[in-house]
Amino acid sequence: AQKITQTQPGMFVQEKEAVTLDCTYDTSDPSYGLFWYKQPSSGEMIFLIYQGSYDQQNATEGRYSLNFQKARKSANLVISASQLGDSAMYFCAMSPRWGGSEKLVFGKGTKLTVNP
Amino acid sequence: ETGVTQTPRHLVMGMTNKKSLKCEQHLGHNAMYWYKQSAKKPLELMFVYNFKEQTENNSVPSRFSPECPNSSHLFLHLHTLQPEDSALYLCASSQGSQAPKNIQYFGAGTRLSVL
């Protein structure tokens, strides 16, 4: 069974600074995908970034980057130059790559607050 | 705007009512999903549809009845709900079932309150 652990219930960061949100995972699948989503108070889950387990390079999307350490089974999200609009819940998720991979398993989330 | 629209955004219903949640995706995706998000709990997958066929029912009580008439529309029919069913119900869609095509795009959700 797959499991996602997000150990930081809440994080605070000053505007314009970088912040790292932790995510560790557990799986016996040889190939898998890792995802990060943002959920503002409005409720919508917004896809941020994807990392495949066999991708050679860490994924980046604008101010978001994924620090993927396969041996440690970690997939931390790094947000550079934080903005007030980054305040939200952030969820890490994973799925197997093959066979029934439409099923995402989510962590409990981290609430990020960006202070002015 | 993610291309996934959910209506209504808010719903209050009594335990004896029957209501339906609607989800429509404009992304040309083939898979659609219903999730339940309760306070302080991880997202719970409820149902998965691939090409209009249900491929996952995550032990959801029968008072929740999904319907997928085509790849663009997904409904969740509700009847005789309990107060503990109050939650945010999220719909999502994805292009396919294998990574990276299984990136799911979500709607804004329906916040349901059962009195």
Side-chain angles (χ1 to χ4, degrees), chain A residues 13-20 38 48-49 59-66 77-87 90 112 114:
Chain A
V13 65
Q14 288 297 121
E15 194 177 7
K16 300 181 184 178
E17 291 186 351
V19 62
T20 298
K38 171 186 178 181
L48 295 178
I49 197 167
T60 60
E61 289 286 349
R63 294 186 298 111
Y64 304 108
S65 60
L66 201 151
L77 177 71
V78 180
I79 306 175
S80 62
S82 297
Q83 302 172 356
L84 296 178
D86 294 334
S87 293
Y90 288 81
L112 177 66
V114 180

Side-chain angles (χ1 to χ4, degrees), chain A residues 13-96:
Chain A
V13 65
Q14 288 297 121
E15 194 177 7
K16 300 181 184 178
E17 291 186 351
V19 62
T20 298
L21 305 183
D22 294 342
C23 173
T24 57
Y25 60 91
D26 191 22
T27 183
S28 57
D29 292 298
S31 184
Y32 46 90
L34 295 156
F35 308 77
W36 276 93
Y37 286 87
K38 171 186 178 181
Q39 187 178 40
S41 57
S42 59
E44 182 177 355
M45 294 282 281
I46 302 168
F47 167 72
L48 295 178
I49 197 167
Y50 165 82
Q51 176 84 44
S53 60
Y54 281 95
D55 292 342
Q56 295 297 315
Q57 293 186 328
N58 286 347
T60 60
E61 289 286 349
R63 294 186 298 111
Y64 304 108
S65 60
L66 201 151
N67 184 2
F68 179 47
Q69 299 187 45
K70 195 171 182 178
R72 294 186 177 184
K73 293 190 175 180
S74 73
N76 298 339
L77 177 71
V78 180
I79 306 175
S80 62
S82 297
Q83 302 172 356
L84 296 178
D86 294 334
S87 293
M89 285 291 294
Y90 288 81
F91 293 91
C92 180
M94 74 177 303
S95 72

Side-chain angles (χ1 to χ4, degrees), chain A residues 33 35 37 39 41-45 47 50 91 95-104 106-108, chain B residues 2 9 33 35 37 42-43 45 48 50 55-56 88 90 97-100 102-108:
Chain A
F35 308 77
Y37 286 87
Q39 187 178 40
S41 57
S42 59
E44 182 177 355
M45 294 282 281
F47 167 72
Y50 165 82
F91 293 91
S95 72
R97 186 177 180 91
W98 310 114
S101 58
E102 66 269 9
K103 187 173 181 177
L104 283 179
F106 285 83
K108 291 186 177 181
Chain B
T2 64
R9 291 295 311 278
Y33 314 76
Y35 287 88
Q37 187 177 31
L43 253 68
L45 179 66
V48 180
N50 259 305
T55 56
E56 181 92 21
L88 180 67
L90 289 162
S97 59
Q98 292 186 352
N102 66 334
I103 294 172
Q104 295 182 23
Y105 295 89
F106 286 77

